[in-house]
Amino acid sequence: TTTTTTTTTTAPVALTGSAAMLAKMRKSSALTGEKRATAAQGASTSAKDGVDETATNAKATRTFILHGGEAASQIAKDLAAQAEKEHGIALNVMTMDDFRDVEFDKVPCAVVFVVETVENAQPAEAAGSCVRFFNRKRKEGTNQAMLAGKMSYAVLGLGDTNLLLDRQTTTAKDCNQAAQTLDSALAALGGARIVPRGEANDAVGLDEDVVPWAKLLFPKLSEVHKGIEAKKNAKLCFLYGSQTGNATEICKNLAAEASEKGYPVEVCAMNEVEPEDVIKPGAVITFVVSSTGDGDAPDNCDTFFTRLKRKAKKEKGEGAIGVQYAVLGLGDQNYSAFMAVPRQFSQTMENLGAKCFAKRGECDDTLGLYEQVDAWTSTFWSHLEVARGNSHKLREGETIVEDANAATEAPKGDSKPPQAAAPAKKVEGVPPLPICRSAVQWLPKTTEVVANRVAPGPDSEGAYTVSSPYMATIHKREVLTNLKSDRRVLHMEFDLGSSGISYKPGDSIGIVPQNDAELVRAIVDRLGLDQAAIFTLNWKKGDTNEHATHPLPHIHTPCTVKSVFTNYIDITGCPRKSLLRVLAEHCGNAEEKDALLHLSSRGGRAEYETQIRAQSPTLLTLLNNYPSCCPPLAELLDALSPLAPRLYSITCAPEVAPTTPSVAFSVVRFQVPSGEHRLGVATNWLDEISVDDKCEHKVPVYIKPSLKFGLPEDSSAPLVMIGPGTGVAPFRGFLQSRRAKAQKGGRLSEAMLFFGCRKADEDFLYEADWKSFTADGSLTKLVCAFSRETAEKVYVQHKIEEHATEVARLISEGAYVMVCGDGAHMAKDVHAALVRVVAQAGVCGVSDVKAAEALLADFTKSGRYVRDIWS
């Protein structure tokens, strides 16, 4: 007998309530209710296809979904999965307990809160701290702008009227008190509500409210998400123009701090980019730039600035619409063209139609450069955040309300410096680690290398420049000082051959030098590198600069390790704090690392003055003082300043030496308090290569024209020249030119020269020339100050006051006053003496010192009072 068993298939029961909602969105294992058992309801399924919960990363996506409660956790993951799949929105999914990790008060974000209300109208345990925090901030009454411009938000409440003590009501509103409290608090704190609050009641089915609310949310959230990502991905541009390295240091520090704050940044010298590459709608640009003595743009930004001005002339009022900028100017008020270039940058950007987002900073080196920079940056960051927030709107062609606090004028000098940065370990105020943009790629030793640091000129336009110099031979050299003196001053002539290079009195010769070979060898050995190893530089992975063609463009690669330290990098200049910060990062010894961090910090200013500024250690000294320090080559090259060309005043006139211009310079050698000796780079190099009378060594040279310092066009005006030490050198050329004019029958005005040195028989530079000029009338009067020949030291400023009557008369008769030499002390003392002479004599009707200062300031603007000085 066969028994047949019939199996009856029962149709599945239709899901309702929360089970139906969760099935519609994504399989889930959680239901509403604090810690309610899920298996008993039969609606739990695997969530393996949901979104993994991740910790926030403020530098990744800035759109979040935060959940508080068991059901909220699953629904949040399901919403995130749907957002990514259907709308392309990537969200960070987090518990509300971790809400502080969003960094909502620092970087703009969008946050969706999914919050449960449980028994007694309380927020779920995982949501409690978050809800209470924002509600407490609301009740304080002083935080109305806490989230303004920073958080866009939406709130979805989950509740269950079955959990209420009074079960007579069945509306979602009555069981979502936690969501209502949070939503009201966020709005009161300045948050931007993306969509109205959603409220769902599990007693009647979550799907009735959650599904339609999600459909309303996603399109709006997508718009907000795109806006935030556009702001986040738009790089802040930091561009520098620097002659001595100060602007480079400060600009890189600002960029590093911006990066540390989570901003994407780009930092480089201006000549590394084209104006068209950075002047675009939505761009936020910070210029850090200095002026040279004549008011020229620094060498590493001159091309950019020239093209920017051309663009402004061609596209006036239109070429930079939608661009926001700030200018931080660096200078020295001892120079006649103080702040000329920073002010021109501001004016040029305004002419292009750009808008200033922060007041121009004007930081004077004579008053404490870095202290003034700190004062400027104390307000800079808040203005930068506003500008960054506006950049997306400007990129899309929208208009913005201008910041009333931003203007092109310089801030007042009473700004208070910012508080020190948060301490790094036990060291106060450590600066951020500078951004390294380059990576070293080692190449086979058979690789062809760049033969010379510079390509011999002329360039494509037929000019000899710093990048395409003339390779001159040394025509003559002569020691001008007594051989027994500890000072060594050389007169050196360069043969320009048939180059056709021209110059005039007052111009300078630029020299492209090399570092000392023995010092280079010692540094390379200390770093454990092979001098003959060949490398090139590439952009660091993930940090490609889309504008510059080559990282660290002052280094021409492929080159050898020996070549890079010989030709391209400053290894003897006083170390900057950014270099110390990089070296600290690569110390194996904790004490050495802390010592370098302290020297680089705000808290270590006093020690920096005594250990670094006073000692001026070379790179080798630093590395030997901190034996555990072993920086990678890329980081070291990025942190070190370029080896800059040196400028020397021409000491002759083209009427006398048309193809052999000459210079006079002191061979720099000095001892620091530690007992070590320091050598000037260019002067010792020139001294060494010119030992033989028939030196065949080629020296890269170019002419740097002077815009203001030179013989006056008005030859009838008297001339007062003040030049102690080698500062007297250009006046030799002035007087040679005057003599040549007289020999042609020209009439000469009065000319008075103040010269100073130690002793007549020690360092009386060009003595025979001055006597000859005086004899033939090219020079009317020579006044010498010999500081070491009397009990009290006598300097040129004393001689000026001694001859006050004559100096005042010449100035009253329209004299041009020319000063050349040391700017750290001499120029200030001479200026003070001239002020007193003018005030006491009542020149041009002035009656006091203040009026005399104003008169000399007017003379500076008109070119009657010009100073060619150096620090």
Side-chain angles (χ1 to χ4, degrees), residues 192-213:
R193 190 183 283 117
I194 300 172
V195 292
R197 179 178 65 252
E199 296 176 342
N201 179 7
D202 189 39
V204 296
L206 295 177
D207 57 327
E208 292 186 9
D209 292 301
V210 175
V211 173
W213 182 82

Side-chain angles (χ1 to χ4, degrees), residues 602-685:
R602 288 193 180 102
R605 281 175 176 167
E607 291 81 359
Y608 180 82
E609 290 297 321
T610 57
Q611 297 180 34
I612 303 299
R613 282 197 184 277
Q615 301 288 349
S616 192
T618 65
L619 176 60
L620 179 63
T621 301
L622 277 179
L623 293 172
N624 288 340
N625 287 348
Y626 300 93
S628 73
C629 181
C630 190
L633 182 58
E635 278 80 352
L636 186 59
L637 296 180
D638 207 293
L640 289 165
S641 299
L643 181 58
R646 271 53 171 178
L647 295 175
Y648 301 98
S649 298
I650 295 176
T651 70
C652 57
E655 294 92 336
V656 176
T659 62
T660 55
S662 56
V663 298
F665 56 85
S666 296
V667 179
V668 179
R669 297 168 184 168
F670 60 97
Q671 187 176 33
V672 296
S674 67
E676 290 188 336
H677 289 84
R678 303 284 183 251
L679 305 179
V681 175
T683 59
N684 281 275
W685 177 63

